[in-house]
Amino acid sequence: MRTHQDKVLAHAAARLAGVEQASDPVDIAREFRRFLKIEDQRLRIADRCGASGRWIAHARSSVLDLIVERTFSVANNLAVASGVSDKADNTWSIIALGGYGRRELAPFSDLDLLFLYTDRGSGRPRQLVERILPLLWDSGLVVGHSFRTVKECISAARSDPHLQTALTSRRLLTGNKPLFDSLSAALERERRKRIGTHIAAVQKERDERYGKFGDAVCLQEPNLKESAGGIRDFHTALWVANARYGCRSLADLREHDLISEQEERVAERAYDFLLRVRYHTHLLTGRKVEHISLELQPALAAEFGYVSDSRLLASEKFMRDYYRRAQDIYRFGESVLARASKKDKSASGWFGRPRSVFLGEPFSIRDGKLQLESDAQFFAKSPLRMFDAFALAQAANVPFSHGMHEAMRHSLAAVNRDFRGSVEAANSFLKLLRRRSRVGHVLRLMHEVGFLGRYLPEFGRITMLIQHDLYHHYTIDEHTLKVVEALDELDRGEDSRHAHLRAVFDEVEDPALLYLSLLLHDIGKGQGSGHVARGAQIAEGICRRLQLDAKDAAKVVLIVKHHITMAHISQRRDLTEPHVADQFATQMKTLDALNMLVLLSYSDMKGVGPGVWSEWKGNLLWDLYERARLHMAGSEAPLHGLARLAQLREKIMTSLAGHLKLSDVDRHLGLLPDRYIRTASPEAVAIHLRLIEGLESDALRWQWVQHSRTITELTVCTRDRHGLFADIAGTLTAQGIEILSAEINTREDGVAIDVFMLRTAATHQTIEERRWNTIERALRAAIKGESDVAALVEKWQTQHAPRRRVRVPNGRRQALPTVVCDNKAAQSATVFEVRAADEAGLAYKIASAATALGFEIVYAKITTEKSDSFDVFYVTDAEGMRLSETAMRALELATLERLCGTKRLDQFRTTTAAVDIGRSRAL
């Protein structure tokens, strides 16, 4: 039976037989493309038949070797025919570098070529290169190339770490072999002279890569090449080993005893899996893509044959396997770096000896890591001593050495049912949780060695489990650890903005219960819907196993049960409604539970991902906390409001610097709802007063503030009218601006004060100052009724709107947005909630639906989390009353029609329970 390579060579002989004698580059490139197309199909067949990732990458590289070699021959023949060169010219070589040199090409990978020539002249070789490159480009290949002598390669590599590592994976394709050998010899001499420099450069590159693409393996949307645990981590390990020992493969590492036979098998299997994923990622997208996006994950799962069941989606199963393999690569890389980065022991004199601190049998701290000064079976014989190791690492704030890691991982079988049920283990675990500001470190150590999932099997079930939403940035386990670390950071921080939260932490009766609540808050995920109720039930069992008394266990269960309650209420409800804080305080029962929940809510938002936490959300959270605490203390919120009002008045007058009278300030505050006093800063109120003063001469006033590189604040002050918010939102949309959040307030005398947080839709950056005048003119025309806002929005969306991110088809979210009206959440208005994929013009669509029905928007909260938008509007009818059931139904359907279109709305109408389902989910 012929091998794959035999078939490729036979195909090349038949298809490309006349290419070397051809003279038309167009015909040559066409034949190359036809050849590659057939060979790509052959590789797809091999993949479907179960070929490994390495085999496919190697086969793809071999096919391209043939193309490069034939291109070299063609170019040489054309040069001879034109008199540029002669057949005897053998003064140069073509060398594959990087991934091509390793024979690890995916379908759309670049070809990294080095054209190496001798010092005797570059004229003829350069002319040949100028013939070769167009042929390769016209064949549909992306080629990165350099044209250097051996000396130039060495010199350039000293200042270019990327070239240095690419040269590590060199491979001769065609040309002068002695010249190639001279390059290899020069590189080897350079390696021996600059070992430390090379290792430092590789490690610096890794740190920079982690900073850009993520230093956590369990990212929701990892870059399979560049993120931690990705393909590049495997390369990094080999590069460091090459710098130290000259190793270029796993076999070389094994020969130098840098890895065990088991480690070699695990690394080989994991790397092969990543190469297969990369192959399918390129095929599915039709381009060079390394980012495993949420949209791509279901398709990859299908390609690999994963099937959904009642507990996990196919994509969740696929990503869990991806994380396991990526974790294997990460550990492999860390292990090799730890061993290869050490200085030669023979070279260390008295001053070079590692500093050690002996901690008593059998532990010490050496080289900044906790070492095990005993045999590898120590923990298997005395498993409770694992807690001693964790406690020492926690106290000294040091990581485990590689030997400690391995000894503990190989002893995990001793963490069995008896161990988990022992009083000693429970007491030791809780003792670790009582060490404020150091819990995250020790829990991450436990997780890294696999202890946490063994001791708490329930945590093991959520390990490496993706969260299929556009909100969370990490897997459930990684998010949980980030939450714990956020609380640690708060406790040891000195940011004055969070001093009040540190004071609350000081009041917590038992920090262990708080940290345990954080650890368990998402424990119910990964088993279908209803994770909150299920999590509370699981937490109850864990508390029982940890032998907590009934009171403490009930407190932990209560916090887990309500871990999203405080954030939802503070961000989605008008906290000035008296019953809101009262009902919440009743749910919390005790001040200690309230203290624990506000700290969990803060940490939970901080641990979700970059950009989720904001000081605005913090203010809302704190206001709910204060109101609930006052209720528990039996105080009345109005008294609290008066104290706050007095303080606010004083600060406003300071900001105004005598510009207005105190009576003007009092009148302004008296005309606005209490929520304005609660959320507006003294500086903002002063700005609003100045803007209102300007309404005497102009019907519209505004204020721009740049907050960062990504957020611009716009305050609009004018006379209120029906549909004002919709027209402002639509005008901003038509100007290519996204609304990230909005706070609208209207004084009793009809003055509207609307504050928007904005960014440019196309770039997600701040709005440039040069555009402000144009936007102001557009707003003025819209507010005066001189422009057709709907037409302008439609024009912009047709011509300029950025492509909307596709909703994740994960099988658990409704295909349509969630639209809910609720008359019980507020006393004087109907609360109208919309959750949908964020898109340009979303706020305008929602507001215009309400305006078209004659309803008034009296208050709004617009929030955007990653690519999800959750908008809450307080709506009344034309008489200022709450909406009737008929009106609520009309608003829900009208909003859905604007968001989804008539065709998709028909699908909604065929399922009469859809809105009710949406209500239950949202509430």
Side-chain angles (χ1 to χ4, degrees), residues 439-691:
V439 178
H441 173 64
V442 74
L443 288 180
R444 188 169 288 281
L445 279 180
M446 289 180 176
H447 193 43
E448 287 175 353
V449 300
F451 177 88
L452 192 56
R454 288 285 297 186
Y455 185 60
L456 299 177
E458 300 87 348
F459 191 83
R461 285 195 286 270
I462 62 170
T463 294
M464 298 186 182
L465 189 60
I466 192 69
Q467 304 188 71
H468 266 291
D469 57 41
L470 296 174
Y471 179 67
H472 288 85
H473 192 68
Y474 307 102
T475 55
I476 300 171
D477 56 323
E478 181 64 23
H479 161 68
T480 300
L481 295 176
K482 293 282 187 185
V483 169
V484 175
E485 289 166 346
L487 182 60
D488 283 345
E489 185 178 347
L490 169 72
D491 188 44
R492 62 174 172 262
E494 298 180 356
D495 190 338
S496 60
R497 293 174 299 176
H498 300 151
H500 57 296
L501 291 174
R502 287 193 290 275
V504 169
F505 201 173
D506 290 337
E507 293 182 7
V508 171
E509 295 173 5
D510 186 350
L513 301 183
L514 172 58
Y515 278 111
L516 183 61
S517 300
L518 267 63
L519 181 61
L520 304 182
H521 80 281
D522 275 344
I523 202 73
K525 289 186 174 179
Q527 301 180 52
S529 60
H531 87 274
V532 174
R534 183 170 51 252
Q537 185 178 7
I538 294 171
E540 187 175 0
I542 293 174
C543 290
R544 190 162 47 247
R545 193 166 67 241
L546 292 174
Q547 303 181 45
L548 296 179
D549 63 38
K551 179 183 176 182
D552 289 345
K555 192 177 295 182
V556 171
V557 172
L558 179 71
I559 300 304
V560 172
K561 182 179 180 180
H562 289 288
H563 74 270
I564 59 176
T565 300
M566 196 170 191
H568 283 188
I569 291 175
S570 65
Q571 294 175 35
R572 303 177 186 181
R573 292 291 177 262
D574 182 355
L575 301 184
T576 62
E577 296 277 356
H579 69 283
V580 173
D582 294 350
Q583 290 177 357
F584 171 66
T586 301
Q587 288 177 312
M588 287 299 95
K589 299 179 181 179
T590 67
L591 177 59
D592 193 46
L594 178 64
N595 287 340
M596 289 170 61
L597 186 60
V598 71
L599 293 171
L600 183 148
S601 301
Y602 162 84
S603 304
D604 197 12
M605 283 189 274
K606 290 285 284 186
V608 165
V612 174
W613 170 261
S614 68
E615 292 305 317
W616 172 69
K617 291 177 184 175
N619 291 337
L620 294 175
L621 200 66
W622 185 249
D623 186 61
L624 177 57
Y625 169 82
E626 286 189 312
R627 290 173 179 273
R629 181 164 182 153
L630 284 168
H631 175 85
M632 290 179 173
S635 301
E636 295 294 331
L639 294 177
H640 169 68
L642 288 174
R644 186 174 196 148
L645 178 60
Q647 186 180 45
L648 181 64
R649 290 169 66 215
E650 181 181 348
K651 292 182 178 179
I652 292 170
M653 291 304 296
T654 301
S655 296
L656 287 170
H659 184 71
L660 290 174
K661 299 177 182 178
L662 180 60
S663 59
D664 295 327
V665 174
D666 288 340
R667 179 175 181 273
H668 173 71
L669 297 177
L671 291 172
L672 283 159
D674 186 45
R675 61 174 169 265
Y676 175 84
I677 299 172
R678 166 175 49 84
T679 57
S681 68
E683 295 76 17
V685 174
I687 290 172
H688 299 166
L689 283 164
R690 288 191 176 99
L691 294 176

Side-chain angles (χ1 to χ4, degrees), residues 124-185:
R124 287 180 296 179
R126 189 177 294 276
Q127 289 177 326
L128 283 175
V129 170
E130 291 172 354
R131 292 177 181 270
I132 289 172
L133 289 176
L135 283 174
L136 294 175
W137 292 331
D138 292 343
S139 300
L141 301 175
V142 178
V143 182
H145 66 283
S146 55
F147 186 75
R148 293 186 172 101
T149 63
V150 171
K151 185 178 180 179
E152 288 169 344
C153 286
I154 300 301
S155 176
R158 288 174 180 169
S159 58
D160 185 351
H162 296 288
L163 175 60
Q164 173 198 318
T165 53
L167 287 167
T168 301
S169 305
R170 62 195 175 275
R171 180 168 59 89
L172 178 65
L173 296 175
T174 188
N176 189 325
K177 186 176 185 304
L179 181 59
F180 173 77
D181 292 339
S182 69
L183 173 65
S184 297

Side-chain angles (χ1 to χ4, degrees), residues 884-918:
S884 65
E885 284 293 330
T886 302
M888 288 194 295
R889 180 69 176 181
L891 180 55
E892 289 169 346
L893 293 177
T895 304
L896 283 170
E897 184 172 0
R898 287 181 182 263
L899 296 182
C900 309
T902 305
K903 184 176 180 180
R904 293 186 67 201
L905 182 58
D906 290 339
Q907 302 171 4
F908 172 82
R909 286 193 173 114
T910 60
T911 307
T912 58
V915 171
D916 293 331
I917 293 172

Side-chain angles (χ1 to χ4, degrees), residues 33-65:
R33 288 197 301 272
R34 290 172 177 170
F35 174 76
L36 288 173
K37 184 176 181 179
I38 293 173
E39 290 307 322
D40 286 343
Q41 290 298 323
R42 197 193 306 275
L43 286 178
R44 295 190 188 196
I45 294 171
D47 172 65
R48 288 195 293 271
C49 292
S52 70
R54 277 233 172 173
W55 186 93
I56 294 172
H58 190 286
R60 167 75 176 166
S61 302
S62 297
V63 167
L64 293 178
D65 286 353

Side-chain angles (χ1 to χ4, degrees), residues 811-838:
R812 290 202 180 131
R813 299 169 68 102
Q814 287 181 210
L816 297 175
T818 300
V819 178
V820 182
C821 283
D822 182 10
N823 266 341
K824 297 179 181 179
Q827 293 179 342
S828 58
T830 296
V831 176
F832 177 45
E833 299 180 344
V834 179
R835 186 180 189 116
D838 187 41

Side-chain angles (χ1 to χ4, degrees), residues 65 76 144 186 258 358 393 422 449 466 539 683 724 770 796 803 867:
D65 286 353
N76 203 39
L258 287 172
F358 185 67
S422 72
V449 300
I466 192 69
E683 295 76 17
L724 176 65
R770 62 181 178 81
W796 181 82
R803 187 175 68 178
S867 293

